[in-house]
Coordinates of all heavy atoms in Angstrom, one line a residue:
F885 N 47.9 4.6 -80.6 CA 46.8 5.5 -80.5 C 47.2 6.9 -81.0 O 46.4 7.6 -81.7 CB 46.3 5.6 -79.0 CG 45.5 4.5 -78.6 CD1 45.8 3.8 -77.4 CD2 44.5 4.0 -79.4 CE1 45.0 2.7 -76.9 CE2 43.7 2.9 -78.9 CZ 44.0 2.3 -77.7
K886 N 48.5 7.3 -80.7 CA 49.0 8.5 -81.3 C 49.1 8.5 -82.8 O 48.9 9.5 -83.5 CB 50.3 8.8 -80.6 CG 50.2 9.1 -79.1 CD 51.6 9.1 -78.4 CE 51.5 9.3 -76.9 NZ 52.8 9.2 -76.2
I887 N 49.5 7.3 -83.3 CA 49.6 7.2 -84.8 C 48.3 7.4 -85.4 O 48.1 8.0 -86.5 CB 50.3 5.9 -85.1 CG1 51.8 5.9 -84.8 CG2 50.0 5.5 -86.6 CD1 52.5 4.6 -85.0
L888 N 47.2 6.8 -84.8 CA 45.9 6.9 -85.3 C 45.5 8.4 -85.3 O 44.8 8.9 -86.2 CB 44.9 6.1 -84.5 CG 45.0 4.6 -84.6 CD1 44.0 3.9 -83.7 CD2 44.8 4.2 -86.1
V889 N 45.9 9.2 -84.3 CA 45.6 10.6 -84.2 C 46.3 11.3 -85.4 O 45.7 12.2 -86.1 CB 46.0 11.2 -82.9 CG1 46.0 12.7 -83.0 CG2 45.2 10.7 -81.8
S890 N 47.5 10.9 -85.7 CA 48.2 11.5 -86.8 C 47.6 11.1 -88.2 O 47.7 11.9 -89.1 CB 49.7 10.9 -86.9 OG 50.4 11.4 -85.7
C891 N 46.9 10.0 -88.2 CA 46.2 9.6 -89.5 C 45.0 10.3 -89.8 O 44.6 10.4 -91.0 CB 45.9 8.1 -89.4 SG 47.4 7.0 -89.4
V892 N 44.3 10.8 -88.8 CA 43.0 11.4 -89.0 C 42.9 12.5 -90.0 O 42.1 12.5 -91.0 CB 42.4 11.9 -87.6 CG1 41.1 12.7 -87.9 CG2 42.1 10.7 -86.7
P893 N 43.8 13.5 -90.0 CA 43.7 14.6 -91.0 C 43.8 14.1 -92.4 O 43.0 14.5 -93.3 CB 44.8 15.6 -90.6 CG 45.1 15.3 -89.2 CD 44.8 13.8 -89.0
A894 N 44.8 13.3 -92.7 CA 45.1 12.8 -94.1 C 44.0 11.9 -94.5 O 43.6 11.8 -95.7 CB 46.4 12.1 -94.2
A895 N 43.4 11.1 -93.6 CA 42.4 10.1 -93.9 C 41.1 10.9 -94.4 O 40.5 10.5 -95.4 CB 42.0 9.3 -92.7
I896 N 40.8 11.9 -93.7 CA 39.6 12.7 -94.1 C 39.8 13.4 -95.4 O 38.9 13.3 -96.3 CB 39.3 13.8 -93.0 CG1 38.9 13.1 -91.7 CG2 38.2 14.7 -93.5 CD1 38.8 14.1 -90.5
I897 N 40.9 14.0 -95.6 CA 41.2 14.6 -96.9 C 41.3 13.6 -98.0 O 40.8 13.9 -99.1 CB 42.6 15.4 -96.8 CG1 42.5 16.6 -95.8 CG2 43.0 15.9 -98.2 CD1 41.5 17.6 -96.2
G898 N 41.9 12.5 -97.8 CA 42.1 11.5 -98.8 C 40.8 10.9 -99.3 O 40.5 10.8 -100.5
V899 N 39.9 10.6 -98.3 CA 38.6 10.0 -98.7 C 37.7 11.0 -99.4 O 37.1 10.6 -100.4 CB 37.9 9.5 -97.4 CG1 36.5 9.1 -97.8 CG2 38.6 8.3 -96.8
L900 N 37.7 12.2 -99.0 CA 36.8 13.2 -99.6 C 37.3 13.8 -100.9 O 36.5 14.1 -101.8 CB 36.6 14.3 -98.6 CG 35.8 13.9 -97.3 CD1 35.7 15.2 -96.4 CD2 34.5 13.4 -97.6
F901 N 38.6 14.0 -101.0 CA 39.1 14.8 -102.1 C 40.2 14.1 -102.9 O 40.9 14.8 -103.7 CB 39.7 16.2 -101.6 CG 38.7 16.9 -100.8 CD1 38.8 17.0 -99.4 CD2 37.6 17.6 -101.4 CE1 37.8 17.8 -98.7 CE2 36.7 18.3 -100.7 CZ 36.8 18.4 -99.3
D902 N 40.4 12.8 -102.8 CA 41.5 12.2 -103.5 C 41.5 12.4 -105.0 O 42.5 12.8 -105.6 CB 41.5 10.7 -103.2 CG 42.7 9.9 -103.9 OD1 43.8 10.3 -103.6 OD2 42.4 9.0 -104.7
D903 N 40.3 12.2 -105.6 CA 40.2 12.4 -107.1 C 40.4 13.8 -107.5 O 41.0 14.1 -108.5 CB 38.8 11.9 -107.5 CG 38.6 10.4 -107.4 OD1 39.7 9.7 -107.4 OD2 37.5 9.9 -107.3
V904 N 39.9 14.8 -106.7 CA 40.1 16.2 -107.0 C 41.6 16.6 -107.0 O 42.1 17.2 -107.9 CB 39.4 17.1 -105.9 CG1 39.6 18.5 -106.2 CG2 37.9 16.8 -106.0
F905 N 42.3 16.2 -105.9 CA 43.7 16.5 -105.9 C 44.5 15.9 -107.0 O 45.4 16.5 -107.5 CB 44.3 16.1 -104.5 CG 43.7 16.9 -103.4 CD1 43.4 16.3 -102.1 CD2 43.4 18.3 -103.5 CE1 42.9 17.1 -101.1 CE2 42.9 19.0 -102.5 CZ 42.6 18.4 -101.3
N906 N 44.2 14.6 -107.3 CA 44.9 13.9 -108.4 C 44.7 14.7 -109.7 O 45.6 14.9 -110.5 CB 44.3 12.5 -108.6 CG 45.0 11.5 -107.6 OD1 46.0 11.9 -107.0 ND2 44.5 10.3 -107.5
R907 N 43.4 15.2 -109.9 CA 43.2 15.9 -111.2 C 43.9 17.3 -111.2 O 44.4 17.7 -112.3 CB 41.6 16.1 -111.3 CG 41.2 16.8 -112.6 CD 39.7 16.8 -112.8 NE 39.0 17.6 -111.8 CZ 38.4 17.2 -110.8 NH1 38.2 15.9 -110.6 NH2 37.8 18.0 -109.9
L908 N 43.9 18.0 -110.1 CA 44.5 19.3 -110.0 C 46.0 19.4 -110.0 O 46.6 20.2 -110.6 CB 43.9 20.1 -108.8 CG 42.4 20.4 -108.9 CD1 42.0 21.1 -107.6 CD2 42.1 21.3 -110.1
F909 N 46.6 18.4 -109.2 CA 48.0 18.6 -108.8 C 48.9 17.4 -109.3 O 50.1 17.5 -109.2 CB 48.1 18.6 -107.3 CG 47.4 19.8 -106.7 CD1 46.4 19.5 -105.7 CD2 47.6 21.1 -107.1 CE1 45.7 20.6 -105.2 CE2 46.8 22.1 -106.5 CZ 45.9 21.9 -105.6
Y910 N 48.3 16.4 -109.9 CA 49.2 15.3 -110.4 C 49.7 15.6 -111.8 O 49.3 15.1 -112.8 CB 48.4 14.0 -110.4 CG 49.3 12.7 -110.3 CD1 49.6 12.1 -109.1 CD2 49.9 12.2 -111.5 CE1 50.4 11.0 -109.1 CE2 50.7 11.1 -111.4 CZ 51.0 10.5 -110.2 OH 51.8 9.4 -110.2
N911 N 50.6 16.6 -111.8 CA 51.2 17.0 -113.0 C 52.7 17.4 -112.8 O 53.1 17.6 -111.6 CB 50.5 18.1 -113.7 CG 50.4 19.3 -112.8 OD1 51.4 20.1 -112.6 ND2 49.2 19.6 -112.2
P912 N 53.6 17.4 -113.8 CA 55.0 17.6 -113.6 C 55.3 18.9 -112.9 O 56.2 19.0 -112.0 CB 55.6 17.6 -115.0 CG 54.6 16.7 -115.7 CD 53.2 17.0 -115.2
V913 N 54.6 20.0 -113.2 CA 54.9 21.3 -112.6 C 54.7 21.3 -111.1 O 55.5 21.7 -110.3 CB 54.1 22.4 -113.2 CG1 54.3 23.7 -112.5 CG2 54.4 22.6 -114.7
C914 N 53.5 20.7 -110.7 CA 53.2 20.7 -109.2 C 54.2 19.8 -108.5 O 54.6 20.1 -107.4 CB 51.8 20.2 -109.0 SG 50.5 21.5 -109.4
V915 N 54.5 18.6 -109.1 CA 55.5 17.7 -108.5 C 56.8 18.4 -108.3 O 57.5 18.3 -107.3 CB 55.6 16.4 -109.3 CG1 56.8 15.6 -108.8 CG2 54.3 15.6 -109.3
A916 N 57.3 19.1 -109.4 CA 58.6 19.7 -109.3 C 58.6 20.8 -108.2 O 59.6 21.0 -107.5 CB 58.9 20.3 -110.7

């Protein structure tokens, strides 16, 4: 149950903005 609580923030962000974040931050400079 505690693990599920830990999952909530990332789950919301991932479902809503996954494509946006991939487009903005999936590049060598951001990774570095």
